[in-house]
Amino acid sequence: MTNTQAPVLKMGVREYLESLVSIIRSPSSFFEDTTGESGSRRALIFLMISGLFYCSVSMTYFFENSLIMGVVMMANAVFMPALGACFSFCIIRMMTTSRVSYSSVFNIYAYSSGAVMVISWIPGLAVVMEPVRAILVGVGLYKTGKLGRLRAFMTVTLTAVLLLLFFWTIAPLVVALRDSYGSWAAQISVTTYC
């Protein structure tokens, strides 16, 4: 008997929990089921709900209810999967003739990151959950992106390397901007009080 139901496009609490349990229980069948998903709206909502949970719990327990830290963490929760999907999409296009769309790759990253965020706020588990996220992304690329196992593994590995290189490259720029902002702010405060 085949399932002829159209995929559910809304994302309420029930759908969120069903998706989360499905990703954790059987990621391969979950990603096979989301192959026909058009657009990234549902995956983005899933990611945002997980990000809100992650940020609110982290803010409450570790950052003393700092709203600024919560906003930074939420931006990070959404930006990092998008950046990882961008790098993976470019690598896939260079390595294969696959015509997988960016939205499909982003959906893989959004679902994988969202599933991991629910657990990774616990101290000590963030480091453990990164390989789990990489495995989920690899499974998603294999099932949804129709890449072979080796190509999915290579894509995940090269994406991780590119992300590290990207942040190592911009780190000196961020430090220089922070130092120049600090000296600029000190000059303004000195001239204001003089």
Side-chain angles (χ1 to χ4, degrees):
M1 185 172 183
T2 60
N3 186 1
T4 57
Q5 285 183 320
V8 179
L9 295 176
K10 67 178 191 168
M11 179 63 76
V13 174
R14 180 175 171 222
E15 290 83 9
Y16 172 80
L17 292 174
E18 286 174 356
S19 297
L20 184 62
V21 168
S22 181
I23 292 169
I24 293 169
R25 184 181 302 152
S26 177
S28 61
S29 63
F30 175 80
F31 285 117
E32 277 181 7
D33 293 343
T34 61
T35 302
E37 213 173 272
S38 62
S40 296
R41 182 173 182 261
R42 189 170 188 269
L44 184 60
I45 292 171
F46 181 84
L47 180 64
M48 298 287 279
I49 293 170
S50 294
L52 283 171
F53 174 78
Y54 174 77
C55 294
S56 62
V57 171
S58 297
M59 272 178 38
T60 304
Y61 288 107
F62 306 112
F63 297 109
E64 298 165 358
N65 295 328
S66 171
L67 183 61
I68 294 172
M69 201 59 200
V71 169
V72 168
M73 290 176 69
M74 188 64 189
N76 184 49
V78 175
F79 175 71
M80 287 304 295
L83 184 63
C86 182
F87 286 158
S88 288
F89 177 72
C90 292
I91 291 167
I92 290 169
R93 286 298 175 105
M94 286 189 291
M95 276 188 352
T96 68
T97 58
S98 174
R99 292 289 144 207
V100 64
S101 66
Y102 175 76
S103 65
S104 295
V105 177
F106 175 76
N107 290 352
I108 293 166
Y109 272 86
Y111 285 126
S112 300
S113 296
V116 167
M117 273 186 223
V118 175
I119 302 167
S120 64
W121 67 271
I122 300 170
L125 285 184
V127 174
V128 174
M129 294 312 288
E130 285 306 314
V132 173
R133 181 190 332 245
I135 290 169
L136 289 175
V137 169
V139 169
L141 290 173
Y142 175 67
K143 292 295 184 176
T144 304
K146 304 297 185 211
L147 299 178
R149 287 188 175 120
L150 180 63
R151 285 192 173 156
F153 174 76
M154 287 175 50
T155 302
V156 170
T157 304
L158 288 173
T159 300
V161 169
L162 284 177
L163 283 169
L164 285 173
L165 289 174
F166 176 75
F167 286 111
W168 283 342
T169 303
I170 67 166
L173 176 65
V174 171
V175 170
L177 286 173
R178 186 188 67 195
D179 291 344
S180 67
Y181 173 74
S183 64
W184 177 72
Q187 288 175 354
I188 289 177
S189 64
V190 167
T191 56
T192 305
Y193 292 113
C194 290

